[in-house]
Amino acid sequence: MPQAPAPDAHTLSGEPNNPRLYRKIAWRLIPFLCFCYLAAYLDRINVGFAKLQMAEQLQLSEAAFGLGAGLFFVGYILFEVPSNLILKRVGARVWIARIMITWGVLSACTMLVTTPAQFYVVRLLLGVAEAGFLPGVLYYLTLWFPTYRRGRIIALFMIGLPLSSVIGAPLSGWILGAFDQVQGLRGWQWLFLLEGIPSVLLGLMALRVLPDGPKRADWLDINEQGQVLRDLTLDEAQSPASGETFRQGFFNLKVWMLGGIDFAILLSAYALGFWMPTFIRNAGVSDVSEIGLLTAVPSIAAVLGMLVLGASSDRFRERRWHIILPFWIGAVAMATSTAFTDNVIMTVLLFSIAQAAIIGAVPVFFSLPATFLTGTAAATGFALACSLANIAGLVSNTLIGVTLDLTGESGAALWFFAACLVLGSLLVIALPAKVVNR
């Protein structure tokens, strides 16, 4: 991090001292990054809607679809850490733009697949292209906001995740119905094409919108740049940091624990993100537009959960119980849903509770790595935790697909995910409160 002047007496209080400045930064960066994340997650999970048409055309079984959906995470996992290290070297502006343009192009190219093998290949390449985006943005935010502001800031950025379903689910359902057979293409082909274009456009915009750090932000004057750097310097000085090198980030037990916690989150998050349209259809809804609208309801609950938990966590400077309690609530909701698989109202209600709790805890979770890592270690730690966690994408999709093929129901998989949330809460309890509660 660039050298900053020694903190002055005003800054030494360690308290938020210039809300106006950080609101200014947030308004400049967060809406754009939120839209980028919305596009990222939409291009990742729209395959769940495309499945409603493409599975029959490509002769994909439930297990084959689950494997294809999950192969995204193989490429994502393998390239997550290298991508984040490149981002730190070349700068966020160029690398985030590269990530978004390539994944947008590959997502659109999914419209061209005609066989299961082609579907597998393009999903694998899509994961390679997107690798590094989320941990890269999380690392990027550490260059702008001190620890005590990050819970709320990360929540504002990450509402792009549930918003991708709030906006994308009705949109995807409408595209499937309205564009089917237009120009000789099926609705699922139009879905991939139309929803891939915004990612490319946002990637091109990133080259102009995202400065590489406060010193390169021409919309901050020199005093404002100095204030941010002083706040970050003081924040690092108060942190019981575990290190700042690649080795200290990669071989850090707490980082691997974070990977396990995020694994528990993503098992449930991806199950709901990829398979919610199927769950709702199996509960008795056949119209794709209606499925799209109902799929959006749990995501609206998730937006509210993220905003409430993120703000509360910052207010009380408490992280652990803001993750543990939502995990327990989410586990109960997931397990209970298995008794109501043929009831649309209860399915949507219970998954809404699960989404609000589980996804609501995500921004609190992602404020943890930077409480004990800085510099290259932070970039490595964010990426490693995300890589370990995204194994859940392969496990979650494959497990549900196999379970549906073998039994016709997803209950066993959902019980397993609920148990993993409880185990994940034990890992959170094991994190030292004095380190992460900042």
Side-chain angles (χ1 to χ4, degrees), residues 82-96:
S83 179
N84 223 31
L85 293 175
I86 294 172
L87 179 144
K88 186 176 185 299
R89 180 177 294 272
V90 305
R93 180 178 63 89
V94 170
W95 198 243
I96 289 176

Side-chain angles (χ1 to χ4, degrees), residues 126-193:
L126 183 63
V128 173
E130 193 185 318
F133 174 76
L134 175 58
V137 172
L138 293 172
Y139 169 71
Y140 180 64
L141 294 177
T142 70
L143 306 180
W144 296 87
F145 299 95
T147 304
Y148 51 79
R149 292 184 179 275
R150 287 182 198 147
R152 185 173 299 161
I153 289 298
I154 292 174
L156 291 171
F157 156 62
M158 295 195 77
I159 60 173
L161 187 157
L163 279 178
S164 67
S165 291
V166 172
I167 297 171
L171 176 64
S172 297
W174 176 74
I175 291 173
L176 283 179
F179 282 78
D180 197 30
Q181 302 301 341
V182 172
Q183 299 296 316
L185 298 176
R186 294 299 310 273
W188 67 266
Q189 293 174 300
W190 281 107
L191 177 66
F192 286 119
L193 175 62

Side-chain angles (χ1 to χ4, degrees), residues 300-354:
I300 294 172
V303 171
L304 298 176
M306 293 178 88
L307 294 175
V308 170
L309 286 172
S312 176
S313 179
D314 273 0
R315 178 184 176 189
F316 293 103
R317 297 206 184 184
E318 199 288 325
R319 310 298 182 187
R320 297 194 311 162
W321 286 100
H322 281 80
I323 301 173
I324 295 167
L325 290 178
F327 272 25
W328 292 349
I329 294 170
V332 171
M334 292 279 285
T336 305
S337 72
T338 62
F340 298 96
T341 55
D342 58 350
N343 186 313
V344 175
I345 294 176
M346 289 301 296
T347 294
V348 173
L349 174 62
L350 289 167
F351 283 144
S352 295
I353 294 171

Side-chain angles (χ1 to χ4, degrees), residues 51 61-67 69-70 266-279 282 334 337-338 351 392-417:
K51 169 184 176 287
S61 67
E62 299 286 2
F65 169 78
L67 174 61
L266 293 185
L267 276 176
S268 298
Y270 286 136
L272 301 183
F274 283 91
W275 294 89
M276 183 66 76
T278 299
F279 294 156
N282 291 348
M334 292 279 285
S337 72
T338 62
F351 283 144
L394 181 59
V395 174
S396 178
N397 286 293
T398 302
L399 183 58
I400 288 187
V402 171
T403 303
L404 284 171
D405 268 350
L406 293 178
T407 68
E409 297 181 354
S410 57
L414 295 176
W415 271 100
F416 173 72
F417 302 155

Side-chain angles (χ1 to χ4, degrees), residues 364-389:
V364 183
F365 166 80
F366 276 117
S367 69
L368 299 182
T371 61
F372 57 88
L373 297 172
T374 59
T376 301
T380 304
F382 277 125
L384 177 59
C386 287
S387 294
L388 294 171

